[in-house]
Amino acid sequence: MDVKSRNYLLMNRQALEKDIKTSYIMDRMISDEVLTLQEEEKVKQQNTQKERAAMLINIILTKDNNSYRSFYNALLHEGYRDLAALLQDGIPAISSGNGRSSMDGMTSYVKTILCEGGVPQRPVVFVTRPKLVDAIKQKLCCLGSDPGWVTVYGMAGCGKTVLTAEALRDHQLLEDYFPGGVHWVSIGKQDKAGLLIKLQNLCSRLENDSTLSQRPPLNIEEAKDRLRLLMLRKYPRSLLILDDIWDSWVLKAFDNQCQVLITSRDRSVTDAVAGNKYEVHVESGLAHEKGLEILSLFVNMKISELPEQANCLVRECKGSPLVISLIGALLRDFPSRWEYYLKQLQNKQFKRIRKSSSYDYEALDEAMSISVEQLNDNYKDYYKDLSILPKDVKVPTKVLCILWDMETEEVEDILQEFVNKSLLFCDRNGKSFHYYLHDLQLDFLTEKNRNQLQELHKNIVNQYKKYYKLNTPVPSQEDCMYWYNFLAYHMAGANMQKELHDLMFSLDWIKAKTELVGPAHLIHEYVEYSSILDQKNGTVRENFQEFLSLNGHLLGRQPFPDIIQLGLCQPETSEVYQQAKLHAQRETGAFYLEWINKKSLKNLYRLVVRPHRDAVYHACFSKDRQRIASCGADKTLQVFKAESGERLVEISAHDDEILCCAFSADGEFVATCSADKKVKIWNSRTGQCRCVYEEHSEQVNCCQFSNRSGQYLLATCSNDTFIKLWDLNKKYCRNTMMGHVNSVNHCRFSPNDEYVASCSTDGTVKLWEARSANELKSIEIKDFFRNADDQPDDVEVLVKCCSWSGNGDMILVVAKNKLLLFDVKTCNLLTQVIVSHHSTIQYCDFCPGDELVAVALSHCSVELWNIKSLSKVAYCRGHMSWVHCVAFSPDGSLFLTSSDDQTIRIWETKKVCQSSDAVLKSELDVVFHNGEVMILAIYNQKHLQFINGNADSVNMQTAAQESTISCCCLSEDLKFAAFGQESGTIKVLRLLDGKVLKSREAYRTSVQRCRFTSDCQTLISSAHDSVIQVWNWQLSECVFLRGHKEAIKDFRLLENSKLLSWSFDGTVKVWNITTGSTEKDFACHGGAVLSCAVSPDGSKFSSTSADKTAKIWSFESSSVLHELKGHEACVRCCTFSPNNKLLATGDDKGEIRIWDILTGALLHFCSPVTVDEGEPTHGGWVTDLSFSPDSKMLVSSGGYLKWWNVTTGESLQTFYTNGTNLKSIHVSPNFKVYVTVDNLGILYVLQKL
């Protein structure tokens, strides 16, 4: 900083420190880029206003003249005119690199030089692009004092002329490098006569003060000589600027060993001249915010006051400064035509966007077509072929080699010609080249060649078919991704119905494409091209779209699921199923399964997506229902299409888990808040960060925008007990609401935005006035939780969430397992519902119609309740873990749920409300009898169902029991069934009519296991205690087997009235069930014994334990034969092979080991598959195992079902159940039928194809 300026600051320091408030002054200095955010933070950390002012002045004293000027201007703008006056005489003279002064940005020296040189003035509306201006200056400095050329090149309307003129408004640059001045000539498209006139005018201008007025040069050669002498003798060290050069021959007239800057669309234009050459490429696009700034300046409004169409207009202008300026100038004259000009742009009506301006071409299409007309004729045809390229896509050279049937080098030569003329852009990615058109160029081409587009699309499809014949591209080929992404687009563009049909309805194509890019793009194509695909029959397209929508979350995972097996799970009428069955029958030696009872299952959701790699904590619809934003434990924000799941934006948004996200009312922004204490605002379309708020001191739990469009007000709440309101147009918090005494978990604006409701761990819900931030009302929710003596519960009442009714008269509050509905005016409780006795409510949302409420529960499900009739309307199962969030679409027709299982599910409200609520418990018994699969299952907690698995029919169902049924079993002759209840009662019933024959109150705790002996007269049972009961139910006699010290895990019958039991006490015992005595006692493990299996010859048994070991024992010698070590988790199950040679064990890490019984050696390790995101390979614990009769195959249950080749340890097939946590698998003796139930209560009867 100049000494004089520094002294003025020091002299007036006291007055400045006393009066100024630093926050807005710093805002201005930051926008002038003279103060950093870190320095701002340093100032804010000071305690008093005076200390903050002192710190700011200290920082300014360490900086340059620009800081002094910026500080002076900030004082003026913020109303400190008297303080600014004190500093006025200290303003440093301009000689800095950017040449700005506090007045008009130029010294009188610069003004004079530019005026004399004919440099165009700044446009009326000017927005700086400092990076590009600096790049031009830098290249001009590179010329030094040597002759040479600087080429500023870019496509039509990208701002080359304006930026070049701006670079010359620099005192230092002109004084140091071009003291002889600058001479600007606008050339444009010229013939020789036109060029001669330009040269004559330039010579005349340069000779203007000459005493000898010479005649004008008569030809170009004479003019060239005259110019050379003038530049050499009269204007040494001056700069010649040639604006808008089209042809290289024009430059030869100026090739005079002087310094020249040219602007051109053609990068190669200087190839014909000698000397040093430098290039500056002007990118075609302005940032979105810069575009809005230009519009706001033209129409003289603040950016925040611009109408809704402004954002769309800037997007349609594709960042072109020319187009934005044309539109801005038109709007200045016709302020009511926002919608009209938006439509013209959307419909590509470029001819109608005309405006007399400093630009040489009357309309946008004229500016573009003149570039194309410069190409020779056969090049024009090649350029026309580019009309069908997809937008925003970089196309590999190989695609155009296929299109034009040429060698790579030939194609690259043609394309380089387009690149040189700024008609195409090239991206060099390592060895390969990728080419793309600017959006405006593509719009121009498609409009110009509109009548030929179908033929052009047809041509590229035919060339593809000719090149690939019946094969499909493989990932190693550089063009592979292009065809998978855009082949359908070209077929649809060509209206090739049959080809599109064959492609989109081919499981091979679907498999190949989803493996590469996931399912979302395919779903999008089914929607996009439905009019062509549905011409014969819309059902087929619906079948395929539904198949991908409901299985997409599986298709995104590794190892990739077998798409044929997934297809076989579709309804039998579906085209997907029929194709899958044909594939399965054709493949010899492959292992496929038919789900024979799938008819009873109805899918209630419309789409399942898996956008995150960890728990999804929150998701929400945009107001137009087209997009969904989601966030979670993987610290990312995702925005995707609600119809297809196609990802639009992915942002690594925070340094810790993101707990909530919200769309602004107009959908332009998404807010996120996180455990990292920050709130961030993102542009929902570009993913750019608009601002970061860091005023909360603990994790921020929730963020919610106000409901009115155009008003960007955001509410956030945090563990720091505060709710804060933010105005997006300001940098700091507008209001802080203080009143809660514990973490605030949730906040929501009322529908009219007048109030904010907040829920806290302190047991209250508070209502606040949004404008004043004053607390209006407080409701003590803990008062509604009382114990049996009508005293308030001691347990903390954590108020999780709230939701306003559509009219704002009622507010719904969630705490523990209750829904409470309050009147907003009186705070009276209108109604309350206990939703569940088994789990807590995580989240709730009012349907816009005000009757339905969706409730997310911690036990994986979602329920819909009618709040008027207080009845449960629907039960939605599908998630495999806790559901964190539920949210209706703005019209209430859909709702979404997000969960710990990494998925978001989108449900159709109407479909869900019409569904029936039928759930089976995972405890069931199966008897395979004469080819029939007979199943006894617990239905909706209190009924028993006897089901024919082959026919998918219920043969018998009992009446509801007084207590929940906990276990059940069938007799071998299928005459009787027995069940145990949570109350401790055991009952035996006749299967023919469901009549209870005998009942016994056997236990004080829930019955866990029951089994008939082979003569069906005796029932053996165990509960949550250490005694096994042997009840001869026909004679009403009971024997008690006492000896275990802890609860029984399970038991199994041996021959000759013997029973093997194992317990949490680590022991295994053999009993005589007639006498009740212990015959053998094995102290097997240090931890609980989790399973036992008996060898086929009856001489050995195996035990597995929570101590991570398995053991093989001899019955005869009561000794351990082998201790099997190697598992890294609890060993949960085991089974012997029928050939008596192998033992298989499964653990809680999802791993299966196969051992040699004779030696105890490990033979195979199943599932050594590496899975993405560290998922267990079996989706969780291995819970059950069963060998095939020939001992060559093994089936296992866990998160899903898997079949293994025992010899190699390789997986043969995986069957993904809708739910997870399969507790057991029942296998037919011939190993062809498999029965299990998942945690959603869905029954699977599977048959090998």
Side-chain angles (χ1 to χ4, degrees):
M1 186 182 295
D2 288 355
V3 177
K4 183 182 167 191
S5 306
R6 189 180 174 78
N7 288 343
Y8 266 83
L9 263 181
L10 292 168
M11 262 167 25
N12 297 296
R13 182 175 190 144
Q14 245 178 329
L16 291 164
E17 285 177 7
K18 191 172 142 194
D19 282 347
I20 62 171
K21 288 183 180 170
T22 53
S23 60
Y24 290 112
I25 285 173
M26 290 197 294
D27 276 0
R28 290 200 168 269
M29 294 181 73
I30 287 167
S31 69
D32 286 346
E33 298 179 358
V34 297
L35 194 72
T36 67
L37 292 171
Q38 288 80 0
E39 288 165 340
E40 181 192 35
E41 200 56 47
K42 209 170 168 183
V43 173
K44 281 160 74 177
Q45 281 165 4
Q46 307 309 307
N47 296 323
T48 65
Q49 182 183 317
K50 191 172 179 184
E51 286 171 357
R52 286 193 283 277
M55 176 57 75
L56 178 59
I57 290 165
N58 284 341
I59 290 169
I60 294 168
L61 284 165
T62 65
K63 293 179 170 283
D64 61 5
N65 291 340
N66 285 342
S67 309
Y68 188 102
R69 283 192 208 95
S70 174
F71 181 50
Y72 170 82
N73 287 331
L75 289 172
L76 270 181
H77 282 112
E78 294 306 328
Y80 298 104
R81 292 188 178 277
D82 52 339
L83 294 176
L86 297 175
L87 299 183
Q88 190 165 3
D89 290 341
I91 296 171
I94 292 211
S95 62
S96 62
N98 67 4
R100 295 290 165 90
S101 78
S102 58
M103 302 305 288
D104 64 355
M106 292 195 291
T107 61
S108 55
Y109 168 72
V110 172
K111 270 186 179 173
T112 308
I113 295 287
L114 300 192
C115 186
E116 288 176 354
V119 175
Q121 293 185 344
R122 272 192 193 140
V124 180
V125 169
F126 172 71
V127 175
T128 178
R129 292 158 83 185
K131 272 191 188 165
L132 285 166
V133 171
D134 288 346
I136 296 169
K137 287 184 195 175
Q138 194 191 345
K139 297 300 182 196
L140 286 172
C141 294
C142 289
L143 288 173
S145 54
D146 298 326
W149 306 80
V150 174
T151 306
V152 179
Y153 71 95
M155 66 175 275
C158 67
K160 303 180 288 291
T161 302
V162 174
L163 290 166
T164 300
E166 190 59 24
L168 300 175
R169 291 183 182 96
D170 184 324
H171 186 110
Q172 200 84 51
L173 178 77
L174 298 180
E175 195 171 66
D176 294 354
Y177 290 93
F178 309 112
V182 297
H183 313 288
W184 186 290
V185 188
S186 291
I187 304 288
K189 189 85 189 84
Q190 295 296 345
D191 57 14
K192 289 193 175 174
L195 178 61
L196 180 58
I197 292 167
K198 293 275 180 190
L199 283 163
Q200 286 170 341
N201 289 344
L202 177 60
C203 290
S204 157
R205 216 165 84 196
L206 296 177
E207 293 166 342
N208 65 352
D209 61 345
S210 175
T211 47
L212 294 167
S213 184
Q214 296 186 18
R215 66 166 175 77
L218 297 176
N219 55 46
I220 288 175
E221 280 306 312
E222 188 183 337
K224 182 178 174 181
D225 283 342
R226 175 103 45 105
L227 186 60
R228 182 170 53 78
L229 291 170
L230 282 166
M231 294 300 277
L232 193 65
R233 293 176 185 170
K234 196 169 175 195
Y235 297 99
R237 295 192 64 204
S238 65
L239 178 68
L240 184 59
I241 301 108
L242 306 176
D243 185 30
D244 198 20
I245 293 289
W246 284 81
D247 301 295
S248 52
W249 65 266
V250 170
L251 284 191
K252 289 183 180 170
F254 299 92
D255 191 2
N256 282 327
Q257 292 293 299
C258 56
Q259 296 183 315
V260 187
L261 182 150
I262 66 165
T263 71
S264 178
R265 302 181 196 186
D266 189 344
R267 180 186 180 182
S268 63
V269 80
T270 54
D271 288 355
V273 292
N276 296 328
K277 291 169 194 170
Y278 303 95
E279 290 179 348
V280 178
H281 178 218
V282 178
E283 294 99 354
S284 44
L286 282 175
H288 190 80
E289 279 68 27
K290 288 274 185 201
L292 287 174
E293 194 181 334
I294 291 176
L295 277 186
S296 71
L297 290 168
F298 265 111
V299 296
N300 198 18
M301 294 165 87
K302 288 182 181 170
I303 291 179
S304 57
E305 293 168 355
L306 290 172
E308 278 181 46
Q309 294 94 330
N311 277 302
C312 303
L313 264 173
V314 171
R315 268 201 299 279
E316 286 298 329
C317 291
K318 318 295 195 276
S320 164
L322 164 66
V323 188
I324 295 171
S325 301
L326 285 174
I327 296 288
L330 288 162
L331 285 166
R332 187 175 51 200
D333 296 347
F334 303 103
S336 59
R337 289 193 182 176
W338 290 87
E339 192 63 43
Y340 173 74
Y341 291 127
L342 177 58
K343 281 203 177 107
Q344 299 310 327
L345 273 177
Q346 285 170 337
N347 299 329
K348 316 290 179 247
Q349 296 296 321
F350 300 127
K351 285 188 173 66
R352 296 200 190 166
I353 300 167
R354 294 172 175 271
K355 179 73 187 171
S356 56
S357 68
S358 58
Y359 198 65
D360 287 347
Y361 307 100
E362 247 202 15
L364 178 60
D365 63 325
E366 198 183 327
M368 301 229 191
S369 62
I370 205 153
S371 293
V372 179
E373 290 310 313
Q374 290 306 299
L375 298 169
N376 67 38
D377 288 348
N378 58 342
Y379 274 60
K380 280 181 194 166
D381 286 339
Y382 291 131
Y383 195 63
K384 187 205 300 179
D385 286 343
L386 306 184
S387 310
I388 52 162
L389 294 187
K391 270 194 178 172
D392 302 319
V393 174
K394 295 180 178 176
V395 181
T397 316
K398 176 81 181 289
V399 172
L400 298 161
C401 293
I402 292 170
L403 172 60
W404 292 331
D405 203 2
M406 287 183 187
E407 294 297 320
T408 305
E409 291 75 11
E410 291 178 273
V411 169
E412 283 174 357
D413 289 347
I414 293 170
L415 296 175
Q416 191 56 44
E417 179 72 15
F418 301 151
V419 171
N420 287 340
K421 290 191 164 33
S422 298
L423 288 169
L424 186 69
F425 296 91
C426 177
D427 188 14
R428 295 173 188 233
N429 186 0
K431 290 178 184 172
S432 63
F433 292 158
H434 286 69
Y435 297 92
Y436 61 100
L437 288 160
H438 184 273
D439 284 2
L440 284 172
Q441 291 168 327
L442 194 52
D443 288 346
F444 164 73
L445 271 178
T446 49
E447 185 59 31
K448 187 176 180 221
N449 303 309
R450 179 167 294 284
N451 299 331
Q452 299 168 61
L453 290 180
Q454 191 168 322
E455 276 309 307
L456 293 172
H457 279 293
K458 200 173 203 172
N459 183 36
I460 196 170
V461 174
N462 290 334
Q463 289 298 100
Y464 166 86
K465 284 162 69 180
K466 179 180 161 188
Y467 184 85
Y468 279 108
K469 300 184 172 68
L470 294 172
N471 305 315
T472 50
V474 294
S476 57
Q477 294 165 314
E478 65 163 327
D479 61 324
C480 162
M481 291 302 285
Y482 181 86
W483 298 117
Y484 279 116
N485 280 319
F486 300 111
L487 184 57
Y489 156 78
H490 289 304
M491 287 177 172
N495 199 20
M496 299 170 87
Q497 193 205 341
K498 184 188 181 303
E499 287 83 350
L500 187 65
H501 197 280
D502 292 348
L503 183 80
M504 298 288 289
F505 301 150
S506 149
L507 278 179
D508 290 331
W509 178 259
I510 292 169
K511 179 178 189 296
K513 177 158 177 167
T514 45
E515 274 191 44
L516 276 174
V517 298
H521 192 256
L522 256 170
I523 299 169
H524 165 75
E525 287 178 329
Y526 286 123
V527 176
E528 185 83 0
Y529 310 134
S530 55
S531 57
I532 302 173
L533 294 169
D534 292 353
Q535 279 175 16
K536 282 186 182 170
N537 179 1
T539 318
V540 177
R541 194 254 318 150
E542 285 167 13
N543 291 163
F544 276 89
Q545 189 176 327
E546 184 177 78
F547 169 61
L548 282 172
S549 297
L550 303 184
N551 293 287
H553 60 300
L554 297 174
L555 294 169
R557 72 203 305 169
Q558 295 293 331
F560 195 80
D562 187 323
I563 204 158
I564 308 302
Q565 182 58 64
L566 288 178
L568 287 168
C569 296
Q570 295 303 293
E572 289 180 14
T573 53
S574 163
E575 178 70 21
V576 181
Y577 169 83
Q578 287 159 19
Q579 271 201 42
K581 187 140 190 184
L582 283 173
H583 270 273
Q585 287 164 345
R586 277 203 306 266
E587 283 188 46
T588 50
F591 189 95
Y592 287 111
L593 298 139
E594 184 87 84
W595 182 5
I596 57 178
N597 69 317
K598 68 188 167 196
K599 283 198 288 290
S600 54
L601 188 76
K602 289 180 179 65
N603 271 315
L604 303 179
Y605 25 86
R606 166 171 178 160
L607 180 68
V608 186
V609 286
R610 191 163 167 251
H612 294 272
R613 295 178 177 173
D614 209 330
V616 189
Y617 292 146
H618 198 84
C620 56
F621 284 97
S622 61
K623 207 160 192 174
D624 61 4
R625 215 187 80 172
Q626 299 301 307
R627 294 176 296 157
I628 290 169
S630 64
C631 60
D634 65 0
K635 308 175 195 173
T636 69
L637 167 68
Q638 308 280 350
V639 180
F640 54 90
K641 288 184 182 174
E643 182 84 58
S644 65
E646 190 175 4
R647 183 174 289 150
L648 300 169
V649 174
E650 177 179 23
I651 309 163
S652 295
H654 286 266
D655 303 325
D656 207 333
E657 297 186 331
I658 307 176
L659 305 176
C660 187
C661 59
F663 272 107
S664 61
D666 61 4
E668 280 303 307
F669 300 107
V670 179
T672 55
C673 61
S674 161
D676 68 7
K677 310 176 195 172
K678 292 175 188 168
V679 178
K680 297 187 181 184
I681 312 295
W682 309 89
N683 183 311
S684 69
R685 297 176 198 282
T686 64
Q688 282 180 315
C689 186
R690 155 109 181 224
C691 48
V692 181
Y693 299 129
E694 299 187 57
E695 290 186 31
H696 282 293
S697 57
E698 290 190 41
Q699 78 171 32
V700 190
N701 296 313
C702 178
C703 55
Q704 191 82 33
F705 274 103
S706 54
N707 299 300
R708 273 202 294 272
S709 258
Q711 178 195 7
Y712 297 122
L713 203 58
L714 180 77
T716 61
C717 61
S718 160
N719 282 3
D720 63 10
T721 74
F722 301 136
I723 303 111
K724 288 181 180 284
L725 284 186
W726 314 84
D727 184 334
L728 259 59
N729 296 318
K730 298 195 171 67
K731 286 202 168 183
Y732 305 105
C733 170
R734 189 176 103 168
N735 280 322
T736 300
M737 301 168 181
M738 293 177 262
H740 286 293
V741 294
N742 208 330
S743 304
V744 189
N745 303 311
H746 192 249
C747 57
R748 271 194 181 179
F749 279 96
S750 63
N752 63 4
D753 291 335
E754 285 181 20
Y755 307 108
V756 174
S758 61
C759 307
S760 167
T761 307
D762 64 13
T764 66
V765 170
K766 291 183 187 287
L767 301 183
W768 313 80
E769 196 173 51
R771 189 168 298 196
S772 65
N774 292 334
E775 183 182 325
L776 288 175
K777 294 172 181 171
S778 183
I779 306 171
E780 293 281 346
I781 302 296
K782 50 180 181 279
D783 291 352
F784 300 95
F785 288 83
R786 296 181 174 272
N787 58 23
D789 309 322
D790 206 35
Q791 294 298 312
D793 239 326
D794 290 339
V795 185
E796 182 182 57
V797 176
L798 191 153
V799 188
K800 271 274 179 77
C801 157
C802 63
S803 183
W804 293 82
S805 63
N807 58 12
D809 293 345
M810 300 178 288
I811 190 161
L812 185 72
V813 178
V814 159
K816 292 191 175 178
N817 59 350
K818 275 188 186 178
L819 286 176
L820 303 119
L821 188 67
F822 293 94
D823 182 290
V824 171
K825 280 186 185 138
T826 63
C827 292
N828 291 340
L829 179 69
L830 298 173
T831 187
Q832 62 175 317
V833 183
I834 295 175
V835 170
S836 166
H837 292 285
H838 302 287
S839 69
T840 57
I841 304 174
Q842 299 296 96
Y843 206 84
C844 73
D845 196 31
F846 242 127
C847 185
D850 283 356
E851 279 194 20
L852 277 186
V853 172
V855 180
L857 297 163
S858 59
H859 70 225
C860 318
S861 67
V862 173
E863 294 177 358
L864 295 190
W865 286 75
N866 184 312
I867 204 72
K868 287 188 179 169
S869 64
L870 303 186
S871 58
K872 193 200 308 188
V873 176
Y875 174 82
C876 313
R877 53 189 182 171
H879 284 294
M880 300 192 190
S881 190
W882 281 35
V883 184
H884 288 291
C885 168
V886 57
F888 281 99
S889 61
D891 62 359
S893 62
L894 304 174
F895 63 95
L896 61 77
T897 53
S898 72
S899 161
D900 263 353
D901 66 9
Q902 307 177 10
T903 67
I904 295 165
R905 289 166 194 257
I906 295 148
W907 312 72
E908 292 185 44
T909 311
K910 199 171 175 184
K911 220 181 200 185
V912 167
C913 291
Q914 292 164 351
S915 67
S916 59
D917 175 8
V919 181
L920 302 184
K921 279 184 84 164
S922 54
E923 290 73 22
L924 77 163
D925 196 18
V926 182
V927 171
F928 298 96
H929 180 76
N930 295 336
E932 298 274 281
V933 183
M934 305 312 295
I935 301 158
L936 187 68
I938 303 162
Y939 167 78
N940 282 4
Q941 307 278 351
K942 293 190 174 181
H943 302 264
L944 267 194
Q945 278 191 347
F946 184 45
I947 301 166
N948 182 323
N950 305 62
D952 192 14
S953 60
V954 177
N955 289 3
M956 182 278 296
Q957 182 175 311
T958 66
Q961 302 300 308
E962 66 287 349
S963 163
T964 299
I965 302 173
S966 50
C967 61
C968 62
C969 65
L970 285 167
S971 64
E972 283 179 24
D973 60 9
L974 295 178
K975 287 182 179 174
F976 307 107
F979 61 91
Q981 294 175 266
E982 283 186 4
S983 60
T985 305
I986 301 174
K987 296 181 182 178
V988 177
L989 56 84
R990 188 164 52 213
L991 279 174
L992 192 64
D993 53 9
K995 184 186 176 187
V996 175
L997 303 175
K998 281 282 171 77
S999 174
R1000 179 164 183 271
E1001 290 180 16
Y1003 297 95
R1004 289 180 182 173
T1005 60
S1006 175
V1007 185
Q1008 291 301 294
R1009 301 273 187 273
C1010 59
R1011 272 192 200 100
F1012 283 104
T1013 52
S1014 53
D1015 62 6
C1016 310
Q1017 293 183 11
T1018 303
L1019 186 71
I1020 303 168
S1021 62
S1022 67
H1024 271 311
D1025 62 15
S1026 59
V1027 180
I1028 297 170
Q1029 298 191 15
V1030 181
W1031 176 35
N1032 186 320
W1033 59 276
Q1034 291 186 332
L1035 301 175
S1036 300
E1037 293 171 357
C1038 193
V1039 176
F1040 297 89
L1041 310 183
R1042 293 188 170 89
H1044 283 296
K1045 293 187 175 63
E1046 288 183 44
I1048 312 295
K1049 179 73 174 83
D1050 206 349
F1051 55 82
R1052 67 171 285 169
L1053 282 155
L1054 304 173
E1055 291 175 352
N1056 308 322
S1057 304
K1058 303 282 192 293
L1059 182 87
L1060 184 76
S1061 68
W1062 52 98
S1063 158
F1064 287 98
D1065 63 11
T1067 67
V1068 174
K1069 298 181 189 294
V1070 178
W1071 309 84
N1072 183 317
I1073 57 171
T1074 314
T1075 63
S1077 59
T1078 310
E1079 297 204 346
K1080 284 187 188 292
D1081 199 342
F1082 299 86
C1084 288
H1085 294 273
V1089 181
L1090 300 178
S1091 74
C1092 285
V1094 178
S1095 63
D1097 63 3
S1099 66
K1100 306 174 197 70
F1101 77 92
S1102 61
S1103 62
T1104 72
S1105 167
D1107 67 9
K1108 303 180 186 176
T1109 66
K1111 293 180 182 178
I1112 301 174
W1113 303 81
S1114 161
F1115 276 120
E1116 199 178 331
S1117 66
S1118 300
S1119 61
V1120 65
L1121 300 175
H1122 301 291
E1123 183 172 1
L1124 311 175
K1125 293 180 176 175
H1127 282 286
E1128 294 170 18
C1130 296
V1131 190
R1132 192 152 296 273
C1133 55
C1134 57
T1135 186
F1136 283 95
S1137 63
N1139 65 7
N1140 217 22
K1141 290 180 180 177
L1142 309 171
L1143 176 75
T1145 55
D1147 68 21
D1148 286 2
K1149 206 180 161 191
E1151 293 174 353
I1152 298 164
R1153 285 168 163 75
I1154 298 172
W1155 313 83
D1156 185 314
I1157 295 174
L1158 203 61
T1159 64
L1162 176 67
L1163 298 176
H1164 292 294
F1165 173 70
C1166 294
S1167 74
V1169 190
T1170 55
V1171 180
D1172 64 338
E1173 292 95 54
E1175 256 180 50
T1177 47
H1178 210 299
W1181 300 352
V1182 181
T1183 53
D1184 201 1
L1185 294 160
S1186 183
F1187 276 100
S1188 61
D1190 61 4
S1191 306
K1192 288 180 179 174
M1193 282 169 75
L1194 179 73
V1195 63
S1196 61
S1197 64
Y1200 29 81
L1201 298 176
K1202 275 186 100 66
W1203 284 259
W1204 306 91
N1205 180 324
V1206 172
T1207 319
T1208 63
E1210 287 172 4
S1211 167
L1212 295 169
Q1213 188 54 273
T1214 303
F1215 186 92
Y1216 290 102
T1217 46
N1218 285 24
T1220 182
N1221 297 354
L1222 315 175
K1223 287 193 177 170
S1224 61
I1225 180 153
H1226 299 263
V1227 184
S1228 65
N1230 64 1
F1231 205 69
K1232 285 188 175 171
V1233 181
Y1234 315 87
V1235 181
T1236 190
V1237 170
D1238 65 21
N1239 66 338
L1240 305 178
I1242 299 169
L1243 175 70
Y1244 300 86
V1245 181
L1246 308 177
Q1247 188 162 11
K1248 183 177 180 290
L1249 261 181

